[in-house]
PDB file of all heavy atoms in Angstrom:
ATOM      1  N   VAL C 225       0.844  -1.208   0.000  1.00  0.00           N
ATOM      2  CA  VAL C 225       0.000   0.000   0.000  1.00  0.00           C
ATOM      3  C   VAL C 225       0.872   1.248   0.000  1.00  0.00           C
ATOM      4  O   VAL C 225       0.630   2.201  -0.749  1.00  0.00           O
ATOM      5  CB  VAL C 225      -0.948  -0.002   1.207  1.00  0.00           C
ATOM      6  CG1 VAL C 225      -1.650   1.343   1.340  1.00  0.00           C
ATOM      7  CG2 VAL C 225      -1.972  -1.121   1.074  1.00  0.00           C
ATOM      8  N   LEU C 226       1.908   1.264   0.866  1.00  0.00           N
ATOM      9  CA  LEU C 226       2.830   2.398   0.890  1.00  0.00           C
ATOM     10  C   LEU C 226       3.491   2.580  -0.470  1.00  0.00           C
ATOM     11  O   LEU C 226       3.617   3.711  -0.967  1.00  0.00           O
ATOM     12  CB  LEU C 226       3.895   2.175   1.960  1.00  0.00           C
ATOM     13  CG  LEU C 226       4.996   3.248   2.045  1.00  0.00           C
ATOM     14  CD1 LEU C 226       4.409   4.549   2.585  1.00  0.00           C
ATOM     15  CD2 LEU C 226       6.157   2.781   2.917  1.00  0.00           C
ATOM     16  N   PHE C 227       3.886   1.481  -1.086  1.00  0.00           N
ATOM     17  CA  PHE C 227       4.540   1.510  -2.398  1.00  0.00           C
ATOM     18  C   PHE C 227       3.650   2.209  -3.426  1.00  0.00           C
ATOM     19  O   PHE C 227       4.095   3.099  -4.161  1.00  0.00           O
ATOM     20  CB  PHE C 227       4.849   0.082  -2.838  1.00  0.00           C
ATOM     21  CG  PHE C 227       5.582  -0.042  -4.132  1.00  0.00           C
ATOM     22  CD1 PHE C 227       6.967  -0.104  -4.150  1.00  0.00           C
ATOM     23  CD2 PHE C 227       4.909  -0.121  -5.337  1.00  0.00           C
ATOM     24  CE1 PHE C 227       7.661  -0.227  -5.352  1.00  0.00           C
ATOM     25  CE2 PHE C 227       5.581  -0.248  -6.538  1.00  0.00           C
ATOM     26  CZ  PHE C 227       6.966  -0.301  -6.541  1.00  0.00           C
ATOM     27  N   VAL C 228       2.379   1.814  -3.475  1.00  0.00           N
ATOM     28  CA  VAL C 228       1.441   2.403  -4.440  1.00  0.00           C
ATOM     29  C   VAL C 228       1.212   3.884  -4.134  1.00  0.00           C
ATOM     30  O   VAL C 228       1.223   4.730  -5.039  1.00  0.00           O
ATOM     31  CB  VAL C 228       0.107   1.631  -4.435  1.00  0.00           C
ATOM     32  CG1 VAL C 228      -0.929   2.363  -5.295  1.00  0.00           C
ATOM     33  CG2 VAL C 228       0.304   0.216  -4.945  1.00  0.00           C
ATOM     34  N   GLU C 229       1.018   4.199  -2.864  1.00  0.00           N
ATOM     35  CA  GLU C 229       0.764   5.595  -2.488  1.00  0.00           C
ATOM     36  C   GLU C 229       1.967   6.477  -2.807  1.00  0.00           C
ATOM     37  O   GLU C 229       1.803   7.592  -3.324  1.00  0.00           O
ATOM     38  CB  GLU C 229       0.418   5.675  -1.006  1.00  0.00           C
ATOM     39  CG  GLU C 229      -0.950   5.106  -0.671  1.00  0.00           C
ATOM     40  CD  GLU C 229      -1.251   5.122   0.810  1.00  0.00           C
ATOM     41  OE1 GLU C 229      -0.306   5.197   1.622  1.00  0.00           O
ATOM     42  OE2 GLU C 229      -2.453   5.045   1.169  1.00  0.00           O
ATOM     43  N   ARG C 230       3.170   5.991  -2.510  1.00  0.00           N
ATOM     44  CA  ARG C 230       4.356   6.801  -2.803  1.00  0.00           C
ATOM     45  C   ARG C 230       4.586   6.921  -4.311  1.00  0.00           C
ATOM     46  O   ARG C 230       5.145   7.917  -4.780  1.00  0.00           O
ATOM     47  CB  ARG C 230       5.580   6.201  -2.124  1.00  0.00           C
ATOM     48  CG  ARG C 230       5.515   6.177  -0.616  1.00  0.00           C
ATOM     49  CD  ARG C 230       5.116   7.520  -0.025  1.00  0.00           C
ATOM     50  NE  ARG C 230       6.080   8.572  -0.358  1.00  0.00           N
ATOM     51  CZ  ARG C 230       5.897   9.854  -0.092  1.00  0.00           C
ATOM     52  NH1 ARG C 230       4.774  10.274   0.484  1.00  0.00           N
ATOM     53  NH2 ARG C 230       6.819  10.735  -0.403  1.00  0.00           N
ATOM     54  N   MET C 231       4.162   5.941  -5.073  1.00  0.00           N
ATOM     55  CA  MET C 231       4.257   6.042  -6.523  1.00  0.00           C
ATOM     56  C   MET C 231       3.350   7.171  -7.032  1.00  0.00           C
ATOM     57  O   MET C 231       3.733   7.938  -7.925  1.00  0.00           O
ATOM     58  CB  MET C 231       3.875   4.720  -7.176  1.00  0.00           C
ATOM     59  CG  MET C 231       4.027   4.698  -8.690  1.00  0.00           C
ATOM     60  SD  MET C 231       3.817   3.031  -9.372  1.00  0.00           S
ATOM     61  CE  MET C 231       2.129   2.664  -8.891  1.00  0.00           C
ATOM     62  N   VAL C 232       2.171   7.289  -6.444  1.00  0.00           N
ATOM     63  CA  VAL C 232       1.254   8.368  -6.824  1.00  0.00           C
ATOM     64  C   VAL C 232       1.826   9.722  -6.399  1.00  0.00           C
ATOM     65  O   VAL C 232       1.793  10.694  -7.170  1.00  0.00           O
ATOM     66  CB  VAL C 232      -0.135   8.147  -6.199  1.00  0.00           C
ATOM     67  CG1 VAL C 232      -1.042   9.345  -6.467  1.00  0.00           C
ATOM     68  CG2 VAL C 232      -0.765   6.871  -6.741  1.00  0.00           C
ATOM     69  N   VAL C 233       2.371   9.797  -5.197  1.00  0.00           N
ATOM     70  CA  VAL C 233       2.986  11.048  -4.737  1.00  0.00           C
ATOM     71  C   VAL C 233       4.136  11.442  -5.660  1.00  0.00           C
ATOM     72  O   VAL C 233       4.300  12.627  -6.000  1.00  0.00           O
ATOM     73  CB  VAL C 233       3.490  10.905  -3.287  1.00  0.00           C
ATOM     74  CG1 VAL C 233       4.285  12.139  -2.869  1.00  0.00           C
ATOM     75  CG2 VAL C 233       2.325  10.684  -2.336  1.00  0.00           C
ATOM     76  N   ALA C 234       4.928  10.449  -6.078  1.00  0.00           N
ATOM     77  CA  ALA C 234       6.067  10.726  -6.948  1.00  0.00           C
ATOM     78  C   ALA C 234       5.643  11.313  -8.287  1.00  0.00           C
ATOM     79  O   ALA C 234       6.436  11.991  -8.950  1.00  0.00           O
ATOM     80  CB  ALA C 234       6.878   9.451  -7.176  1.00  0.00           C
ATOM     81  N   SER C 235       4.392  11.084  -8.672  1.00  0.00           N
ATOM     82  CA  SER C 235       3.914  11.649  -9.939  1.00  0.00           C
ATOM     83  C   SER C 235       3.841  13.172  -9.880  1.00  0.00           C
ATOM     84  O   SER C 235       3.577  13.821 -10.904  1.00  0.00           O
ATOM     85  CB  SER C 235       2.549  11.064 -10.320  1.00  0.00           C
ATOM     86  OG  SER C 235       1.524  11.557  -9.469  1.00  0.00           O
ATOM     87  N   ALA C 236       4.075  13.769  -8.693  1.00  0.00           N
ATOM     88  CA  ALA C 236       4.183  15.230  -8.618  1.00  0.00           C
ATOM     89  C   ALA C 236       5.254  15.733  -9.561  1.00  0.00           C
ATOM     90  O   ALA C 236       5.219  16.885 -10.009  1.00  0.00           O
ATOM     91  CB  ALA C 236       4.495  15.665  -7.185  1.00  0.00           C
ATOM     92  N   GLY C 237       6.216  14.863  -9.894  1.00  0.00           N
ATOM     93  CA  GLY C 237       7.283  15.247 -10.812  1.00  0.00           C
ATOM     94  C   GLY C 237       6.819  15.556 -12.222  1.00  0.00           C
ATOM     95  O   GLY C 237       7.558  16.174 -12.998  1.00  0.00           O
ATOM     96  N   ILE C 238       5.601  15.166 -12.579  1.00  0.00           N
ATOM     97  CA  ILE C 238       5.109  15.497 -13.920  1.00  0.00           C
ATOM     98  C   ILE C 238       4.894  16.999 -14.060  1.00  0.00           C
ATOM     99  O   ILE C 238       4.772  17.514 -15.174  1.00  0.00           O
ATOM    100  CB  ILE C 238       3.809  14.740 -14.269  1.00  0.00           C
ATOM    101  CG1 ILE C 238       2.620  15.259 -13.442  1.00  0.00           C
ATOM    102  CG2 ILE C 238       4.002  13.242 -14.076  1.00  0.00           C
ATOM    103  CD1 ILE C 238       1.283  14.601 -13.782  1.00  0.00           C
ATOM    104  N   SER C 239       4.858  17.704 -12.927  1.00  0.00           N
ATOM    105  CA  SER C 239       4.608  19.144 -12.956  1.00  0.00           C
ATOM    106  C   SER C 239       5.721  19.926 -13.640  1.00  0.00           C
ATOM    107  O   SER C 239       5.526  21.083 -14.029  1.00  0.00           O
ATOM    108  CB  SER C 239       4.426  19.666 -11.530  1.00  0.00           C
ATOM    109  OG  SER C 239       5.600  19.442 -10.763  1.00  0.00           O
ATOM    110  N   PHE C 240       6.883  19.300 -13.815  1.00  0.00           N
ATOM    111  CA  PHE C 240       7.999  20.004 -14.451  1.00  0.00           C
ATOM    112  C   PHE C 240       7.603  20.601 -15.793  1.00  0.00           C
ATOM    113  O   PHE C 240       7.858  21.779 -16.072  1.00  0.00           O
ATOM    114  CB  PHE C 240       9.179  19.048 -14.642  1.00  0.00           C
ATOM    115  CG  PHE C 240      10.220  19.571 -15.597  1.00  0.00           C
ATOM    116  CD1 PHE C 240      11.091  20.587 -15.218  1.00  0.00           C
ATOM    117  CD2 PHE C 240      10.332  19.064 -16.875  1.00  0.00           C
ATOM    118  CE1 PHE C 240      12.045  21.079 -16.089  1.00  0.00           C
ATOM    119  CE2 PHE C 240      11.279  19.545 -17.755  1.00  0.00           C
ATOM    120  CZ  PHE C 240      12.137  20.553 -17.361  1.00  0.00           C
ATOM    121  N   VAL C 241       6.978  19.799 -16.648  1.00  0.00           N
ATOM    122  CA  VAL C 241       6.652  20.276 -17.990  1.00  0.00           C
ATOM    123  C   VAL C 241       5.570  21.346 -17.948  1.00  0.00           C
ATOM    124  O   VAL C 241       5.479  22.193 -18.845  1.00  0.00           O
ATOM    125  CB  VAL C 241       6.241  19.112 -18.914  1.00  0.00           C
ATOM    126  CG1 VAL C 241       7.383  18.111 -19.044  1.00  0.00           C
ATOM    127  CG2 VAL C 241       4.984  18.402 -18.412  1.00  0.00           C
ATOM    128  N   VAL C 242       4.739  21.317 -16.907  1.00  0.00           N
ATOM    129  CA  VAL C 242       3.716  22.347 -16.756  1.00  0.00           C
ATOM    130  C   VAL C 242       4.381  23.694 -16.488  1.00  0.00           C
ATOM    131  O   VAL C 242       4.020  24.718 -17.071  1.00  0.00           O
ATOM    132  CB  VAL C 242       2.746  21.972 -15.619  1.00  0.00           C
ATOM    133  CG1 VAL C 242       1.673  23.046 -15.457  1.00  0.00           C
ATOM    134  CG2 VAL C 242       2.111  20.611 -15.872  1.00  0.00           C
ATOM    135  N   GLY C 243       5.372  23.691 -15.590  1.00  0.00           N
ATOM    136  CA  GLY C 243       6.099  24.924 -15.308  1.00  0.00           C
ATOM    137  C   GLY C 243       6.905  25.410 -16.500  1.00  0.00           C
ATOM    138  O   GLY C 243       7.008  26.623 -16.741  1.00  0.00           O
ATOM    139  N   ILE C 244       7.491  24.479 -17.251  1.00  0.00           N
ATOM    140  CA  ILE C 244       8.230  24.851 -18.472  1.00  0.00           C
ATOM    141  C   ILE C 244       7.299  25.587 -19.427  1.00  0.00           C
ATOM    142  O   ILE C 244       7.643  26.635 -19.993  1.00  0.00           O
ATOM    143  CB  ILE C 244       8.817  23.596 -19.153  1.00  0.00           C
ATOM    144  CG1 ILE C 244      10.047  23.086 -18.381  1.00  0.00           C
ATOM    145  CG2 ILE C 244       9.183  23.890 -20.608  1.00  0.00           C
ATOM    146  CD1 ILE C 244      11.286  23.943 -18.524  1.00  0.00           C
ATOM    147  N   GLN C 245       6.113  25.051 -19.618  1.00  0.00           N
ATOM    148  CA  GLN C 245       5.134  25.700 -20.491  1.00  0.00           C
ATOM    149  C   GLN C 245       4.734  27.054 -19.946  1.00  0.00           C
ATOM    150  O   GLN C 245       4.623  28.041 -20.691  1.00  0.00           O
ATOM    151  CB  GLN C 245       3.912  24.786 -20.647  1.00  0.00           C
ATOM    152  CG  GLN C 245       2.958  25.205 -21.762  1.00  0.00           C
ATOM    153  CD  GLN C 245       1.842  26.137 -21.302  1.00  0.00           C
ATOM    154  OE1 GLN C 245       1.830  26.616 -20.174  1.00  0.00           O
ATOM    155  NE2 GLN C 245       0.920  26.436 -22.212  1.00  0.00           N
ATOM    156  N   HIS C 246       4.531  27.135 -18.628  1.00  0.00           N
ATOM    157  CA  HIS C 246       4.101  28.382 -18.003  1.00  0.00           C
ATOM    158  C   HIS C 246       5.147  29.485 -18.204  1.00  0.00           C
ATOM    159  O   HIS C 246       4.819  30.616 -18.602  1.00  0.00           O
ATOM    160  CB  HIS C 246       3.858  28.147 -16.511  1.00  0.00           C
ATOM    161  CG  HIS C 246       3.059  29.218 -15.866  1.00  0.00           C
ATOM    162  ND1 HIS C 246       2.804  29.261 -14.518  1.00  0.00           N
ATOM    163  CD2 HIS C 246       2.450  30.329 -16.377  1.00  0.00           C
ATOM    164  CE1 HIS C 246       2.072  30.312 -14.221  1.00  0.00           C
ATOM    165  NE2 HIS C 246       1.849  30.983 -15.333  1.00  0.00           N
ATOM    166  N   VAL C 247       6.407  29.154 -17.935  1.00  0.00           N
ATOM    167  CA  VAL C 247       7.479  30.141 -18.099  1.00  0.00           C
ATOM    168  C   VAL C 247       7.622  30.549 -19.563  1.00  0.00           C
ATOM    169  O   VAL C 247       7.806  31.733 -19.881  1.00  0.00           O
ATOM    170  CB  VAL C 247       8.809  29.575 -17.555  1.00  0.00           C
ATOM    171  CG1 VAL C 247       9.965  30.528 -17.848  1.00  0.00           C
ATOM    172  CG2 VAL C 247       8.705  29.343 -16.052  1.00  0.00           C
ATOM    173  N   ALA C 248       7.525  29.579 -20.478  1.00  0.00           N
ATOM    174  CA  ALA C 248       7.657  29.877 -21.910  1.00  0.00           C
ATOM    175  C   ALA C 248       6.573  30.836 -22.382  1.00  0.00           C
ATOM    176  O   ALA C 248       6.789  31.617 -23.324  1.00  0.00           O
ATOM    177  CB  ALA C 248       7.599  28.585 -22.726  1.00  0.00           C
ATOM    178  N   GLN C 249       5.416  30.798 -21.739  1.00  0.00           N
ATOM    179  CA  GLN C 249       4.303  31.660 -22.125  1.00  0.00           C
ATOM    180  C   GLN C 249       4.467  33.103 -21.638  1.00  0.00           C
ATOM    181  O   GLN C 249       3.683  33.972 -22.011  1.00  0.00           O
ATOM    182  CB  GLN C 249       2.984  31.092 -21.587  1.00  0.00           C
ATOM    183  CG  GLN C 249       2.592  29.746 -22.173  1.00  0.00           C
ATOM    184  CD  GLN C 249       2.220  29.820 -23.636  1.00  0.00           C
ATOM    185  OE1 GLN C 249       3.079  29.807 -24.513  1.00  0.00           O
ATOM    186  NE2 GLN C 249       0.942  29.901 -23.926  1.00  0.00           N
ATOM    187  N   TRP C 250       5.479  33.343 -20.807  1.00  0.00           N
ATOM    188  CA  TRP C 250       5.655  34.673 -20.234  1.00  0.00           C
ATOM    189  C   TRP C 250       6.940  35.375 -20.658  1.00  0.00           C
ATOM    190  O   TRP C 250       7.032  36.606 -20.590  1.00  0.00           O
ATOM    191  CB  TRP C 250       5.615  34.594 -18.703  1.00  0.00           C
ATOM    192  CG  TRP C 250       4.229  34.513 -18.162  1.00  0.00           C
ATOM    193  CD1 TRP C 250       3.494  33.380 -17.935  1.00  0.00           C
ATOM    194  CD2 TRP C 250       3.372  35.596 -17.804  1.00  0.00           C
ATOM    195  NE1 TRP C 250       2.247  33.695 -17.459  1.00  0.00           N
ATOM    196  CE2 TRP C 250       2.145  35.063 -17.357  1.00  0.00           C
ATOM    197  CE3 TRP C 250       3.528  36.984 -17.805  1.00  0.00           C
ATOM    198  CZ2 TRP C 250       1.090  35.845 -16.935  1.00  0.00           C
ATOM    199  CZ3 TRP C 250       2.478  37.769 -17.376  1.00  0.00           C
ATOM    200  CH2 TRP C 250       1.264  37.211 -16.948  1.00  0.00           C
ATOM    201  N   PHE C 251       7.964  34.604 -21.105  1.00  0.00           N
ATOM    202  CA  PHE C 251       9.272  35.199 -21.397  1.00  0.00           C
ATOM    203  C   PHE C 251       9.574  35.164 -22.895  1.00  0.00           C
ATOM    204  O   PHE C 251       9.145  34.260 -23.612  1.00  0.00           O
ATOM    205  CB  PHE C 251      10.374  34.468 -20.617  1.00  0.00           C
ATOM    206  CG  PHE C 251      10.381  34.798 -19.149  1.00  0.00           C
ATOM    207  CD1 PHE C 251       9.517  34.148 -18.274  1.00  0.00           C
ATOM    208  CD2 PHE C 251      11.226  35.772 -18.642  1.00  0.00           C
ATOM    209  CE1 PHE C 251       9.500  34.452 -16.925  1.00  0.00           C
ATOM    210  CE2 PHE C 251      11.216  36.097 -17.289  1.00  0.00           C
ATOM    211  CZ  PHE C 251      10.352  35.430 -16.429  1.00  0.00           C
ATOM    212  N   ASP C 252      10.339  36.164 -23.362  1.00  0.00           N
ATOM    213  CA  ASP C 252      10.676  36.288 -24.772  1.00  0.00           C
ATOM    214  C   ASP C 252      11.862  35.396 -25.140  1.00  0.00           C
ATOM    215  O   ASP C 252      12.611  34.923 -24.280  1.00  0.00           O
ATOM    216  CB  ASP C 252      11.000  37.747 -25.106  1.00  0.00           C
ATOM    217  CG  ASP C 252       9.801  38.661 -24.885  1.00  0.00           C
ATOM    218  OD1 ASP C 252       8.662  38.193 -25.101  1.00  0.00           O
ATOM    219  OD2 ASP C 252       9.998  39.824 -24.478  1.00  0.00           O
TER     220      ASP C 252
END
């Protein structure tokens, strides 16, 4: 159960590409 839950928590790392897109939308 801990293994599965920590795997889901680790998916927070997908946010990297979201921030990349966000910054690209603001800077020249």
Side-chain angles (χ1 to χ4, degrees):
V225 170
L226 176 70
F227 183 92
V228 172
E229 289 177 339
R230 297 311 299 172
M231 184 171 62
V232 174
V233 173
S235 71
I238 70 177
S239 61
F240 165 74
V241 299
V242 180
I244 285 287
Q245 193 268 8
H246 197 185
V247 174
Q249 295 292 83
W250 280 89
F251 286 82
D252 297 327

